Amino acid sequence: MNDFRRIADRIAADIAGGRLRPGQRLPPQRAFARRHGLAPSTAGRVYAELVRRGLV
């Protein structure tokens, strides 16, 4: 499995567990990338995966 999908899985778990609430914004992709030690392109792939899953 790709690393970006594992990160998306963790965010999905946060959504399912109520740690991220409806309407709560995710940080901008570059800020997310810096916070998690990712390349900005990887953060973009994480966000795109969340969109594909219909979570954001």
Side-chain angles (χ1 to χ4, degrees):
M1 181 183 290
N2 295 334
D3 287 337
F4 78 92
R5 287 196 182 107
R6 276 184 265 201
I7 297 167
D9 289 343
R10 288 196 317 244
I11 295 171
D14 286 345
I15 292 168
R19 290 176 293 281
L20 286 173
R21 300 188 190 286
Q24 186 175 352
R25 292 179 158 259
L26 293 172
Q29 288 180 20
R30 289 186 187 273
F32 182 87
R34 277 192 304 272
R35 185 177 301 154
H36 295 281
L38 303 171
S41 61
T42 302
R45 292 180 80 183
V46 170
Y47 280 23
E49 178 66 13
L50 294 170
V51 169
R52 188 189 71 76
R53 295 181 189 188
L55 297 172
V56 296

